[in-house]
Amino acid sequence: GENVEQHPSTLSVQEGDSAVIKCTYSDSASNYFPWYKQELGKRPQLIIDIRSNVGEKKDQRIAVTLNKTAKHFSLHITETQPEDSAVYFCAAPGSARQLTFGSGTQLTVLP
Amino acid sequence: DGGITQSPKYLFRKEGQNVTLSCEQNLNHDAMYWYRQDPGQGLRLIYYSQIVNDFQKGDIAEGYSVSREKKESFPLTVTSAQKNPTAFYLCASSIDPVTGELFFGEGSRLTVL
């Protein structure tokens, strides 16, 4: 099945700086890569996704890049704000066509 | 108000007892899922159902059971066979089983004493 590895597990940045979270996947047939954000005590919510026919997608301060050759994708958050503090999960579909999630990254934006 | 409702939010049970977690959705989604969330381990898939009266095991199905008798409902039973049942359980639904956005419930925290 699919194996998704996510790094780092924790990340602290100063407000205004950029944050980057990286994920690698094992199934070369995977073609959809979402990112979910889970604020403390709340449910995970989709923040951005990318499909394998593009290399980058942006939505305001967040962007996702995909390198299919290397089988890795990354989440980039620019001009971080305190409300960006949360746990972020990447995911990729496996052979059973169900999403496999990474282990999560706790992002803390320091004022 | 459309969405997914999980109940109860908190549940305490004694070891050896079966417990059932409720999940109801009014989004008219065909696909529904149960995930288990443990610190540092992300979201692990327990069971999923792509259509009424059909469901499949996920990565960690041992000690759990589900049913899908109605499109709106996907209850999860944590049986006494589950060796480490204390966890946070999340239910989700989506229009498309692979590339559709997952809509999550607020979760149920089960503590086995």
Side-chain angles (χ1 to χ4, degrees):
Chain A
E2 177 74 277
N3 183 37
V4 178
E5 295 193 0
Q6 183 172 346
H7 300 281
S9 56
T10 61
L11 178 60
S12 293
V13 298
Q14 291 294 138
E15 184 176 354
D17 287 350
S18 296
V20 180
I21 303 169
K22 298 180 180 179
C23 288
T24 61
Y25 61 97
S26 59
D27 188 346
S28 57
S30 292
N31 57 5
Y32 173 67
F33 307 92
W35 286 88
Y36 284 81
K37 174 184 180 182
Q38 186 177 27
E39 296 178 23
L40 186 63
K42 296 191 176 179
R43 68 190 82 190
Q45 290 188 303
L46 178 71
I47 54 170
I48 195 167
D49 57 18
I50 190 168
R51 295 170 199 269
S52 60
N53 56 346
V54 296
E56 183 175 8
K57 183 177 178 180
K58 289 184 180 179
D59 183 2
Q60 299 182 331
R61 294 187 297 107
I62 61 173
V64 57
T65 58
L66 172 64
N67 183 327
K68 285 219 72 178
T69 303
K71 291 192 280 188
H72 68 70
F73 56 111
S74 301
L75 177 71
H76 305 253
I77 306 174
T78 59
E79 301 172 21
T80 52
Q81 300 170 4
E83 54 264 37
D84 295 328
S85 294
V87 178
Y88 292 82
F89 295 99
C90 63
S95 57
R97 300 183 72 242
Q98 302 303 319
L99 287 177
T100 296
F101 283 84
S103 55
T105 297
Q106 172 69 63
L107 173 64
T108 303
V109 179
L110 305 169
Chain B
D1 188 23
I4 296 188
T5 303
Q6 287 186 241
S7 63
K9 195 168 184 177
Y10 299 96
L11 187 60
F12 296 87
R13 278 296 181 267
K14 292 183 179 179
E15 207 171 302
Q17 289 182 327
N18 291 357
V19 300
T20 296
L21 308 180
S22 169
C23 178
E24 304 278 331
Q25 55 102 357
N26 60 6
L27 299 169
N28 201 33
H29 288 168
D30 283 317
M32 295 189 74
Y33 313 81
W34 275 104
Y35 290 92
R36 172 176 170 146
Q37 185 172 20
D38 296 285
Q41 295 196 50
L43 304 172
R44 293 184 292 167
L45 184 63
I46 304 172
Y47 267 98
Y48 62 98
S49 168
Q50 298 187 9
I51 199 167
V52 174
N53 292 323
D54 185 55
F55 49 83
Q56 307 294 331
K57 292 182 179 180
D59 300 319
I60 55 166
E62 185 175 349
Y64 299 97
S65 66
V66 293
S67 63
R68 187 84 188 276
E69 297 176 3
K70 297 186 299 181
K71 187 175 186 176
E72 306 78 32
S73 179
F74 191 41
L76 173 75
T77 296
V78 184
T79 75
S80 55
Q82 168 51 231
K83 291 183 172 54
N84 186 18
T86 294
F88 188 60
Y89 293 89
L90 283 163
C91 179
S93 72
S94 71
I95 290 178
D96 182 287
V98 179
T99 61
E101 177 179 354
L102 289 173
F103 290 84
F104 286 90
E106 292 190 326
S108 294
R109 185 167 298 281
L110 171 64
T111 302
V112 175
L113 306 171

